[in-house]
Amino acid sequence: MTNHNHAARRLTTIEQHILDEQHSFPAASGTLTGLLYDVALAGKIIAAQTTRAGLVEILGRTGEINVQGERVMKLDVLADEAIYTLTSRTGRLAALVSEEHADILPIPPQFPTGKYVLVYDPLDGSSNIDFNVSIGTIFAIYQRKSAAGPGALEDCLRMGRELVAAGYIVYSASTMLVYSAGHGVHGFTLDPNIGEFLMTHPDICIPEQGGYYSADRGHEDHWSAGARRFTAYLHNSGSVLSQRYVGSLAADFHRTLLSGGVFYYPAVNNDPVRSQGKLRLLYEAAPFAFIAEQAGGYASDGRRAILDIQPTSLHQRTPLFIGNRRLVEKAEEFIQAYG
Ligand code: AHG
Ligand code: MN
Ligand code: MN
């Protein structure tokens, strides 16, 4: 066999990988496979726009404020539209939830509805866009509860334990898509020459040792005593852990997944926006919690598993501690003891 053939045989595209996973379920119809591929295609489009952002005047703000009271960046809108357009017309979804929209997004009436629900953060880390720092997309998929027709709120307000699949894309020095459909965590890197995501990180497990601790310590004075004592514990742990913080959850989680350690964003007292934490349960914390557990890690709000929290509203926030299971359980000990 020539080297060329050998290389081609080892080359696994994301589509091939999703199909292989699907084949292990005889009842699978291929709908989830198609949906994941729709999201991957949207990711390629967002990656292309992200790399050209400085050239085509799409850096900066739109002048609008979103449902979260945050400034909307032009790339937020482009990413939101790319994902909605590519996933809502293929008959696979009943409804969508986007960070950028207050209510659930229906399927356009001229298209059929399907059996899944997609929740997503189209552009994560938007405050980093203007500085050419890594940003991401986060997505998660539930099976609808209602029987047929347009999806309803109850199809979308779901606890993470019910997730069918979750993933994220990081737009950085290279673009990577990492996902889990409940059979481990797998990473793919976009080859810009051929425009395809290729398997580069099969069966990712969070390392038990080493890594980094990661938090926005600018708010530390306003964290609870438990969160502050946990930080002191990490800081004094014999300098085993170094510190890193990007400010894009997708990038901070990606590093934590590959290197080990812990990322956390606790509640910030006296802050009207962050008093329950900053990150959103449905389309930020829960998808990463699903991936963390699939990789042997754990995610908690400090008192219980993120995956066990039943959301009561689409954009509700939660404190988040995520990464190495031992460290996240240590955080729970401190929160339990000191609040
Ligand atoms: P988004 O850009 O989707 O609104 O999310 C921003 C989030 C998250 O990506 C990041 O971890 C966090 O905000 C950063 O918050 P601070 O600026 O308070 O550190
Ligand atoms: Mn976000
Ligand atoms: Mn966002």
Side-chain angles (χ1 to χ4, degrees):
M1 184 188 305
T2 66
N3 283 341
H4 175 77
N5 282 343
H6 188 61
R9 203 157 58 92
R10 282 188 303 136
L11 207 124
T12 305
T13 65
I14 192 163
E15 187 179 26
Q16 186 64 54
H17 185 267
I18 301 170
L19 277 169
D20 287 349
E21 275 211 341
Q22 180 201 317
H23 288 150
S24 51
F25 300 95
S29 64
T31 310
L32 181 65
T33 304
L35 179 54
L36 286 165
Y37 200 67
D38 291 341
V39 174
L41 178 56
K44 287 188 222 175
I45 291 171
I46 299 167
Q49 287 168 339
T50 303
T51 15
R52 301 187 65 235
L55 300 170
V56 292
E57 296 186 1
I58 51 176
L59 284 182
R61 299 163 194 157
T62 60
E64 286 161 34
I65 303 288
N66 74 4
V67 288
Q68 325 280 333
E70 292 162 351
R71 290 182 303 239
V72 178
M73 312 295 281
K74 292 175 190 168
L75 266 182
D76 284 319
V77 175
L78 287 170
D80 185 48
E81 287 175 356
I83 295 173
Y84 180 76
T85 306
L86 283 163
T87 58
S88 64
R89 300 175 175 185
T90 48
R92 297 175 174 128
L93 292 178
L96 301 86
V97 175
S98 162
E99 183 203 350
E100 300 299 333
H101 300 273
D103 299 319
I104 64 172
L105 295 168
I107 301 304
Q110 65 272 37
F111 296 106
T113 52
K115 64 177 175 182
Y116 291 108
V117 162
L118 179 74
V119 302
Y120 65 104
D121 178 352
L123 218 292
D124 174 66
S126 359
S127 69
N128 278 323
I129 294 173
D130 281 351
F131 315 121
N132 206 6
V133 173
S134 305
I135 49 182
T137 293
I138 309 165
F139 62 92
I141 297 164
Y142 291 96
Q143 196 146 13
R144 71 182 300 169
K145 278 182 143 173
S146 53
L153 190 60
E154 57 150 12
D155 293 310
C156 304
L157 284 178
R158 309 283 289 280
M159 74 170 102
R161 282 284 168 226
E162 297 180 284
L163 275 168
V164 172
Y168 62 91
I169 303 162
V170 177
Y171 312 101
S172 190
S174 52
T175 297
M176 275 196 70
L177 187 154
V178 177
Y179 89 101
S180 175
H183 301 273
V185 180
H186 312 287
F188 300 79
T189 303
L190 182 63
D191 182 335
N193 290 329
I194 60 170
E196 188 57 273
F197 283 105
L198 301 177
M199 164 85 88
T200 47
H201 296 62
D203 295 313
I204 299 170
C205 292
I206 298 183
E208 292 290 324
Q209 303 296 329
Y212 304 91
Y213 68 106
S214 179
D216 181 355
R217 294 183 69 184
H219 305 292
E220 189 170 352
D221 288 352
H222 302 290
W223 291 348
S224 69
R228 279 183 279 126
R229 285 186 185 240
F230 175 57
T231 305
Y233 162 83
L234 295 168
H235 190 61
N236 297 322
S237 60
S239 299
V240 177
L241 297 177
S242 292
Q243 196 180 353
R244 292 274 193 284
Y245 186 75
V246 174
S248 298
L249 177 62
D252 281 311
F253 176 76
H254 184 62
R255 183 198 56 249
T256 306
L257 181 70
L258 295 183
S259 73
V262 60
F263 169 92
Y264 53 110
Y265 205 117
V268 180
N269 296 322
N270 305 324
D271 181 310
V273 174
R274 300 180 175 89
S275 63
Q276 304 300 316
K278 182 180 186 194
L279 300 168
R280 276 61 55 100
L281 175 60
L282 199 60
Y283 44 80
E284 291 182 319
F288 286 128
F290 180 79
I291 294 168
E293 288 206 9
Q294 283 290 320
Y298 178 48
S300 169
D301 70 351
R303 298 181 186 279
R304 59 198 160 148
I306 290 286
L307 293 181
D308 290 331
I309 305 175
Q310 170 65 48
T312 53
S313 64
L314 294 176
H315 302 284
Q316 89 187 52
R317 298 178 193 264
T318 178
L320 175 65
F321 299 80
I322 190 165
N324 176 293
R325 177 170 279 276
R326 181 181 53 83
L327 291 174
V328 174
E329 286 177 348
K330 195 54 131 176
E332 286 182 326
E333 279 173 35
F334 280 104
I335 303 279
Q336 186 75 35
Y338 302 102

mmCIF file of all heavy atoms in Angstrom, residues 99 121 124-125 280 284, ligand 2:
data_model
loop_
_atom_site.group_PDB
_atom_site.id
_atom_site.type_symbol
_atom_site.label_atom_id
_atom_site.label_comp_id
_atom_site.label_asym_id
_atom_site.label_seq_id
_atom_site.Cartn_x
_atom_site.Cartn_y
_atom_site.Cartn_z
ATOM 1 N N GLU A 99 -29.542 32.469 22.101
ATOM 2 C CA GLU A 99 -29.233 33.523 23.067
ATOM 3 C C GLU A 99 -29.776 34.871 22.599
ATOM 4 O O GLU A 99 -30.150 35.715 23.408
ATOM 5 C CB GLU A 99 -27.714 33.644 23.259
ATOM 6 C CG GLU A 99 -27.362 34.693 24.306
ATOM 7 C CD GLU A 99 -25.954 35.266 24.189
ATOM 8 O OE1 GLU A 99 -25.151 34.751 23.413
ATOM 9 O OE2 GLU A 99 -25.697 36.251 24.887
ATOM 10 N N ASP A 121 -25.925 29.150 21.474
ATOM 11 C CA ASP A 121 -25.304 30.467 21.666
ATOM 12 C C ASP A 121 -24.509 30.686 20.385
ATOM 13 O O ASP A 121 -23.450 30.080 20.193
ATOM 14 C CB ASP A 121 -24.388 30.413 22.900
ATOM 15 C CG ASP A 121 -23.657 31.719 23.151
ATOM 16 O OD1 ASP A 121 -23.719 32.627 22.297
ATOM 17 O OD2 ASP A 121 -22.999 31.813 24.207
ATOM 18 N N ASP A 124 -20.181 32.994 21.065
ATOM 19 C CA ASP A 124 -19.839 33.079 22.483
ATOM 20 C C ASP A 124 -18.516 33.823 22.642
ATOM 21 O O ASP A 124 -17.555 33.524 21.925
ATOM 22 C CB ASP A 124 -19.729 31.664 23.066
ATOM 23 C CG ASP A 124 -19.224 31.700 24.490
ATOM 24 O OD1 ASP A 124 -19.934 32.210 25.360
ATOM 25 O OD2 ASP A 124 -18.088 31.231 24.720
ATOM 26 N N GLY A 125 -18.517 34.755 23.579
ATOM 27 C CA GLY A 125 -17.301 35.537 23.806
ATOM 28 C C GLY A 125 -17.268 36.772 22.940
ATOM 29 O O GLY A 125 -16.198 37.256 22.554
ATOM 30 N N ARG A 280 -25.478 31.273 31.075
ATOM 31 C CA ARG A 280 -26.843 30.821 30.892
ATOM 32 C C ARG A 280 -26.919 29.300 30.952
ATOM 33 O O ARG A 280 -26.138 28.588 30.320
ATOM 34 C CB ARG A 280 -27.409 31.327 29.555
ATOM 35 C CG ARG A 280 -27.976 32.735 29.601
ATOM 36 C CD ARG A 280 -26.976 33.823 29.972
ATOM 37 N NE ARG A 280 -25.785 33.886 29.154
ATOM 38 C CZ ARG A 280 -25.599 34.753 28.156
ATOM 39 N NH1 ARG A 280 -26.497 35.650 27.890
ATOM 40 N NH2 ARG A 280 -24.478 34.746 27.464
ATOM 41 N N GLU A 284 -25.356 27.484 27.586
ATOM 42 C CA GLU A 284 -23.924 27.597 27.906
ATOM 43 C C GLU A 284 -23.533 26.494 28.904
ATOM 44 O O GLU A 284 -22.713 25.624 28.611
ATOM 45 C CB GLU A 284 -23.592 28.986 28.461
ATOM 46 C CG GLU A 284 -23.706 30.072 27.392
ATOM 47 C CD GLU A 284 -23.346 31.473 27.867
ATOM 48 O OE1 GLU A 284 -23.716 31.864 28.986
ATOM 49 O OE2 GLU A 284 -22.710 32.217 27.098
HETATM 50 MN MN MN B 2 -21.925 32.955 25.564
#
